[in-house]
């Protein structure tokens, strides 16, 4: 089974560094940034865990709960968190899933045998409050993720949902947005009374 965009994120019950969670219940009305790591006590992962902790207020401001995963035990995670806090100058408070038997990593197809037969690659799942998978990204083991992009795409998804718009390349909050071709000019007059700039009939830019 592939985890496709628009599908319901598989539910699971699991031990984490903040106690047992039932995923759908835990996520509640929030968005979730669910991200996997190859292993505890590895250098790239340590920087990514630290970056997520440093950005905790940015995630909270967007109603997003981070949830990490690495294929180690709660005891190992807790020791590693001390290192993360020390080396990355942060206070890591989000839960990290313990997945020593790879059950969740397999459920979410985080193990790519060409990279490693035991460790998870760097998967990202952005999941909305309806539990739908809205974005997936997969990074290789040796390359850390771009957290500016993770926050940007969350902003983009939330802006798209709230305003019936699409977002152009490299869009950032405050920049012009696109009126999707599925919205007729007639309907657009109601939805976008501020008007728009028509570069082509299929490319109409507006401001929010
Ligand atoms: C790391 O997280 O630093 C890492 C993990 C596996 C391979 C290479 C780097």
């Amino acid at each position: 089974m592939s985890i496709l965009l628009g599908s319901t994120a598989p539910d699971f019950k699991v031990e984490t560094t903040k106690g047992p969670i039932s995923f759908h219940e835990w996520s509640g009305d929030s968005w979730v940034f669910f991200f996997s790591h190859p292993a505890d006590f590895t250098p790239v992962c340590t920087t990514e865990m630290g970056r997520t902790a440093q950005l905790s207020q940015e995630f909270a401001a967007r109603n997003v709960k981070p949830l990490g995963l690495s294929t180690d035990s709660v005891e190992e995670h807790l020791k590693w968190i001390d290192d993360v806090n020390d080396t990355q100058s942060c206070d890591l408070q989000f839960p990290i899933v313990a997945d020593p038997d790879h059950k969740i990593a397999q459920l979410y197809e985080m193990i790519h045998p060409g990279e490693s037969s035991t460790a998870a690659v760097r998967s990202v799942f952005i999941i909305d409050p309806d539990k739908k998978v809205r974005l997936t990204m997969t990074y290789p083991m040796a390359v850390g993720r771009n957290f500016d992009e993770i926050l940007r795409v969350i902003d983009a998804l939330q802006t798209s949902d709230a305003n019936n718009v699409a977002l152009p390349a490299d869009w950032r909050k405050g920049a012009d947005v696109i009126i999707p071709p599925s919205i007729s000019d007639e309907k657009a007059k109601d939805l976008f009374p501020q008007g728009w700039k028509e570069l082509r009939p299929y490319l109409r830019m507006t401001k929010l």
Side-chain angles (χ1 to χ4, degrees), residues 39-115:
D40 295 0
F41 303 104
T42 50
V44 179
C45 301
T46 299
T47 64
E48 291 190 314
M49 283 293 179
R51 192 75 189 113
T52 306
Q54 289 163 4
L55 291 170
S56 61
Q57 290 187 358
E58 295 292 335
F59 285 112
R62 291 162 173 82
N63 186 30
V64 178
K65 290 181 173 177
L67 179 65
L69 176 147
S70 127
T71 51
D72 292 302
S73 67
V74 167
E75 292 68 33
E76 287 163 310
H77 287 350
L78 291 174
K79 283 189 211 138
W80 180 38
I81 287 171
D82 288 342
D83 280 4
V84 173
N85 287 337
D86 270 1
T87 61
Q88 309 303 306
S89 306
C90 60
D91 177 20
L92 194 160
Q93 290 297 337
F94 59 87
I96 304 176
V97 166
D99 194 30
D101 52 9
H102 307 163
K103 274 200 188 129
I104 314 299
Q106 273 161 8
L107 183 66
Y108 274 77
E109 299 179 336
M110 293 164 166
I111 294 182
H112 295 201
E115 283 273 302

